[in-house]
Amino acid sequence: MMDHLANTEINSQRIAAVENCFGASGQPLALPGRVLLGEGILTKECRKKPKPRIFFLFNDILVYGSIVINKRKYNSQHIIPLEDVTLETLPDTLQMKNRWMIKTSKKSFVVSAASLTERKEWISHLEECIKHLLTKTGRQPCTEHAAPWIPDKATDICMRCTQTKFSTLTRRHHCRKCGFVVCADCSRQRFLMPRLSPKPLRVCNLCYRQLLADKNKEAEADRRQTEPIRSATQGYEPSSGDDSDKSDDEKAEQWPADTEFYTSEVSWSSFHS
């Protein structure tokens, strides 16, 4: 299907329509060989509350955004490379049905479909695209994923100290490493995680200690690797740059050799064929 739709007029028109709906705030989506395979509304679990989001599945990327006017205007465009995606099916809850998690190295989040059939369709098409991409590029599936943020309403107390109660004055914060909802006292530290951001991010005290310990272990391992090199060169003085009176043979002898959800049965998704 991907090969059949690639570089066709109908595919170009569909992609142009998506670009037009995002307007100037969105990035260009048309690329040679890129195919729009399907689209639909999924409910995304956000920090404050679940919200409907429009999703577009291409053969190499997943695009989603906020709905301003259905089928006419979207904003807050997000683009996720599919070769960085891993999927995990989740059990239903009282408030949320037909759930699964979209995991990437930079961001992970939970979505819900309107029906079980719709969820199966989304997961099936996503997995097919991911498998095709990984086979094409020769890359291995991503094994490191960002933790999803636990919604604010999931807890009224800090999930680390279990003492601080949240209120209008006592704000909730999220650890960027584990995704837990924590108080300010339990998340005063910042840690640089280049995979997530070029700037140090807020982390809870427990994750900070673990990250610091891992960093120290890596530094110690690097030190041990470089120690034999330092030992081999120990005792040698830097050259003065001047010629000496020693013969070339005598010089040679000195040197050694050597990283609220949709629960109705209304279909919200469609995949192009």
Side-chain angles (χ1 to χ4, degrees):
M1 182 176 64
M2 297 182 207
D3 294 336
H4 175 71
L5 289 174
N7 303 317
T8 61
E9 182 64 23
I10 186 65
N11 180 63
S12 298
Q13 291 174 358
R14 286 169 175 165
I15 295 178
V18 175
E19 288 183 337
N20 185 59
C21 287
F22 278 104
S25 64
Q27 297 183 39
L29 299 172
L31 281 180
R34 176 169 288 169
V35 178
L36 176 58
L37 299 174
E39 59 192 78
I41 295 176
L42 298 172
T43 302
K44 178 178 178 290
E45 186 178 273
C46 300
R47 176 177 177 175
K48 297 294 183 182
K49 63 179 181 179
K51 297 177 181 178
R53 293 287 185 259
I54 183 70
F55 281 78
F56 297 95
L57 175 61
F58 295 80
N59 59 333
D60 62 335
I61 58 174
L62 182 66
V63 178
Y64 72 92
S66 301
I67 302 171
V68 180
I69 303 174
N70 193 23
K71 295 186 178 180
R72 292 184 59 189
K73 185 174 176 59
Y74 312 122
N75 61 16
S76 303
Q77 185 192 71
H78 296 267
I79 300 177
I80 303 174
L82 287 182
E83 57 188 10
D84 191 36
V85 171
T86 302
L87 306 176
E88 179 183 349
T89 303
L90 300 175
D92 291 347
T93 64
L94 293 176
Q95 299 81 18
M96 192 173 182
K97 309 294 183 181
N98 312 310
R99 309 163 64 222
W100 79 94
M101 187 183 299
I102 298 174
K103 301 190 290 186
T104 77
S105 60
K106 294 184 178 296
K107 184 176 184 178
S108 300
F109 54 92
V110 176
V111 292
S112 170
S115 67
L116 183 60
T117 299
E118 187 177 320
R119 181 179 74 171
K120 289 180 179 178
E121 286 185 349
W122 270 104
I123 292 178
S124 174
H125 283 83
L126 280 162
E127 288 180 340
E128 182 181 354
C129 291
I130 294 168
K131 181 180 178 181
H132 182 268
L133 269 177
L134 293 177
T135 301
K136 183 178 178 181
T137 61
R139 288 184 52 182
Q140 294 298 314
C142 185
T143 57
E144 292 188 35
H145 306 108
W149 283 18
I150 295 175
D152 286 0
K153 292 185 178 180
T155 179
D156 291 327
I157 62 173
C158 173
M159 299 177 73
R160 283 305 182 202
C161 68
T162 67
Q163 300 296 322
T164 302
K165 294 193 67 174
F166 297 119
S167 64
T168 305
L169 298 178
T170 306
R171 290 184 55 201
R172 291 170 169 84
H173 299 279
H174 278 83
C175 171
R176 270 55 170 183
K177 181 68 171 64
C178 65
F180 277 26
V181 183
V182 291
C183 65
D185 287 340
C186 289
S187 60
R188 294 191 180 281
Q189 303 293 345
R190 301 289 189 277
F191 200 89
L192 180 62
M193 293 179 282
R195 179 168 52 86
L196 301 181
S197 172
K199 298 180 179 180
L201 300 174
R202 179 189 292 270
V203 293
C204 67
N205 296 341
L206 177 61
C207 285
Y208 178 77
R209 290 193 294 269
Q210 292 175 340
L211 288 166
L212 195 60
D214 291 342
K215 182 180 179 180
N216 291 336
K217 286 181 181 179
E218 291 177 3
E220 178 64 17
D222 291 341
R223 186 190 66 79
R224 290 180 179 178
Q225 287 181 351
T226 57
E227 188 63 31
I229 299 175
R230 283 198 290 265
S231 298
T233 58
Q234 190 173 5
Y236 290 103
E237 296 295 334
S239 171
S240 65
D242 297 330
D243 291 336
S244 69
D245 293 333
K246 295 182 180 180
S247 68
D248 291 340
D249 290 339
E250 289 175 325
K251 291 180 185 178
E253 290 177 359
Q254 295 181 18
W255 297 94
D258 292 297
T259 172
E260 268 84 71
F261 294 88
Y262 296 111
T263 55
S264 69
E265 294 304 316
V266 178
S267 177
W268 288 85
S269 301
S270 61
F271 292 94
H272 308 309
S273 59

